[in-house]
Amino acid sequence: MAYEFRLQRRVEFSETDAAGIVHFSNFFRYMEAVEHAFFRSLGYSVLLRDHQPPLGFPRVAAACEYKAPLRFEDLVELHLLVREKKPRSLSYLVKFTNLSAQPRREVARGTLTVVCVAKNADGSFTATPIPRDLAEKIKVAPAELLV
């Protein structure tokens, strides 16, 4: 069972603002990217088209606290940890570490909560339990990793 996933990426020039640092909104894109990679590592997508009706995992809460800037070409590690698992939702903690800094340092910390929903024929969504086969692959991270 998995409770964490790590992804490394370089900061692209287009992700920076006029001050030369990563624009705050990109941290939310990074959190989404590491979540999608986490699901792929489990053999799934965040869009479960093979279910009828199809299932997805929209965000219901997202936050990020910034400690230090990231700049163009910095190598950043995104460390996703499952902080809570409920029958219909998952909450993550994402730690952002600048691997280019000496010494390496945590530059931000974000949280993301998603809910499993069925997309109904009329376009509406209904919260639904996470499919058992997927839920069985995910567990909550040990408390000492969530600090």
Side-chain angles (χ1 to χ4, degrees), residues 2-66:
Y3 57 79
E4 69 179 331
F5 186 82
R6 294 174 191 264
L7 178 69
Q8 291 183 7
R9 66 179 319 279
R10 289 244 177 240
V11 172
E12 300 291 331
F13 183 76
S14 63
E15 297 167 340
T16 62
D17 61 17
I21 62 175
V22 171
H23 190 268
F24 77 92
S25 63
N26 286 307
F27 285 83
F28 294 92
R29 290 183 182 97
Y30 298 162
M31 284 192 284
E32 185 170 70
V34 72
E35 178 204 17
H36 289 200
F38 173 61
F39 268 66
R40 285 191 300 273
S41 77
L42 301 174
Y44 293 85
S45 171
V46 295
L47 179 56
L48 303 173
R49 294 183 183 115
D50 57 339
H51 286 78
Q52 287 306 319
L55 304 178
F57 290 86
R59 287 87 191 84
V60 296
C64 194
E65 294 183 22
Y66 310 96

Side-chain angles (χ1 to χ4, degrees), residues 73-135:
E73 293 191 342
D74 280 345
L75 182 62
V76 61
E77 179 183 77
L78 314 170
H79 184 192
L80 177 144
L81 295 147
V82 178
R83 68 182 184 131
E84 187 174 48
K85 176 181 156 187
K86 294 182 178 178
R88 298 172 192 232
S89 66
L90 296 167
S91 292
Y92 310 112
L93 169 65
V94 180
K95 298 177 183 180
F96 298 83
T97 301
N98 185 344
L99 301 179
S100 299
Q102 294 302 323
R104 294 177 176 185
R105 67 182 292 196
E106 187 175 301
V107 296
R109 190 172 280 220
T111 57
L112 189 63
T113 300
V114 299
V115 173
C116 184
V117 299
K119 183 176 181 185
N120 302 313
D122 66 0
S124 65
F125 297 99
T126 304
T128 189
I130 299 168
R132 183 181 315 182
D133 54 332
L134 173 58

